Amino acid sequence: MAKKEFVVFGLGRFGTSVATTLAESGCEVLAVDADEDKVHEIADFVTYAVKADITDGDALASLGIGNFDGAIVAIGKNLEASVMATILVKELGVPYVLAKAQNEIHAKVLKKVGADMVVFPEKETGIRIANNLIMGNFFDAVELSSTFSMMELDAPDEWVGKSLRELNLRAKNKINVIAIKRAEVLDINPDADMPINRNDILVVIGKNEQLNRLANK
Ligand code: ATP
């Protein structure tokens, strides 16, 4: 399978983190910034690093990104650059554009001009960290949407010795147990009649409120 190709505009902390993670994961990454130092700093960690002003349509067109799989517009403070880059990459035919917003108005503008996904990295990270702190009983949480998460949960005492069928968690607790980790072995198709052991770790999906309630039982 051909490697996925991404372009990242803006090499602040967010853009650098996205660009280097994509590259580490085996994607082809073109990193672009107007600041030469930023370009030099990332050059060894991505496929190509280029100094360019992304408000310059000709410079952008010359990068040849029309066939790329996605673009990340990681510029918060320079509204003009962020909006222009989003419009121009959409015009060049990039199918998926993810853009970082500073505030709600910025987000609205980005969506209007064609951004497929708008993110607020600081706000979203803050929410995730706070949720993880509240749900102290959970080892880790993966946010599936703003209301649903997938988490690893220590089997509560009152569940020990009972099977998933008896517990009827889907109906009673509105959660789904998708896997059980026992002695470091992950069973992704747990038997509904198998009793839960004391040290089992359950991988569950559910609404944040339900998961929170279970964690604080
Ligand atoms: P972070 O929070 O991710 O560190 P930031 O909010 O501090 O980012 P931004 O203003 O979002 O900083 O800028 C990110 C990067 O975008 C900077 O490295 C800046 O040089 C680059 N940048 C800003 N305007 C342009 C432009 N017109 N063309 C190319 N790069 C630009």
Side-chain angles (χ1 to χ4, degrees):
M1 201 169 74
K3 282 185 177 180
K4 288 206 161 182
E5 292 178 305
F6 293 95
V7 57
V8 178
F9 296 108
L11 304 172
R13 288 158 300 176
F14 176 62
T16 298
S17 165
V18 174
T20 51
T21 305
L22 286 170
E24 275 167 19
S25 309
C27 300
E28 299 280 359
V29 177
L30 167 61
V32 184
D33 201 291
D35 180 338
E36 195 154 4
D37 291 341
K38 295 274 174 72
V39 174
H40 277 304
E41 274 166 32
I42 205 166
D44 288 342
F45 305 99
V46 295
T47 321
Y48 305 103
V50 174
K51 175 181 180 283
D53 182 338
I54 57 173
T55 55
D56 176 352
D58 292 339
L60 215 60
S62 72
L63 295 174
I65 56 172
N67 294 325
F68 276 38
D69 297 287
I72 294 90
V73 180
I75 298 173
K77 294 186 194 103
N78 187 342
L79 187 74
E80 183 197 355
S82 145
V83 172
M84 288 258 309
T86 305
I87 294 172
L88 290 169
V89 288
K90 271 285 157 189
E91 276 178 8
L92 290 171
V94 178
Y96 186 79
V97 179
L98 180 146
K100 160 183 153 165
Q102 283 277 84
N103 52 47
E104 291 297 337
I105 303 234
H106 187 181
K108 263 190 190 163
V109 176
L110 289 170
K111 280 188 191 144
K112 276 259 186 296
V113 298
D116 298 282
M117 172 94 180
V118 176
V119 294
F120 298 87
E122 295 88 354
K123 185 176 159 194
E124 286 159 13
T125 305
I127 292 171
R128 191 166 59 247
I129 288 174
N131 278 333
N132 279 350
L133 288 171
I134 294 164
M135 300 180 188
N137 203 19
F138 292 111
F139 293 99
D140 204 2
V142 177
E143 210 178 45
L144 302 173
S145 73
S146 56
T147 43
F148 288 92
S149 298
M150 179 174 76
M151 291 168 165
E152 290 189 343
L153 171 69
D154 256 336
D157 287 346
E158 58 269 39
W159 294 3
V160 173
K162 294 186 181 135
S163 68
L164 292 175
R165 197 186 303 280
E166 281 174 87
L167 289 166
N168 200 11
L169 299 173
R170 212 179 275 179
K172 286 192 191 151
N173 298 70
K174 308 267 184 291
I175 60 157
N176 274 296
V177 177
I178 57 163
I180 296 182
K181 207 189 269 180
R182 182 172 292 175
E184 290 305 309
V185 178
L186 187 69
D187 181 356
I188 56 158
N189 195 11
D191 183 342
D193 295 310
M194 177 182 76
I196 288 175
N197 283 355
R198 183 155 303 281
N199 294 319
D200 283 353
I201 295 168
L202 311 179
V203 182
V204 298
I205 288 183
K207 270 198 165 179
N208 291 340
E209 300 101 86
Q210 302 289 348
L211 296 172
N212 198 359
R213 209 166 293 149
L214 271 178
N216 292 309
K217 259 177 142 193

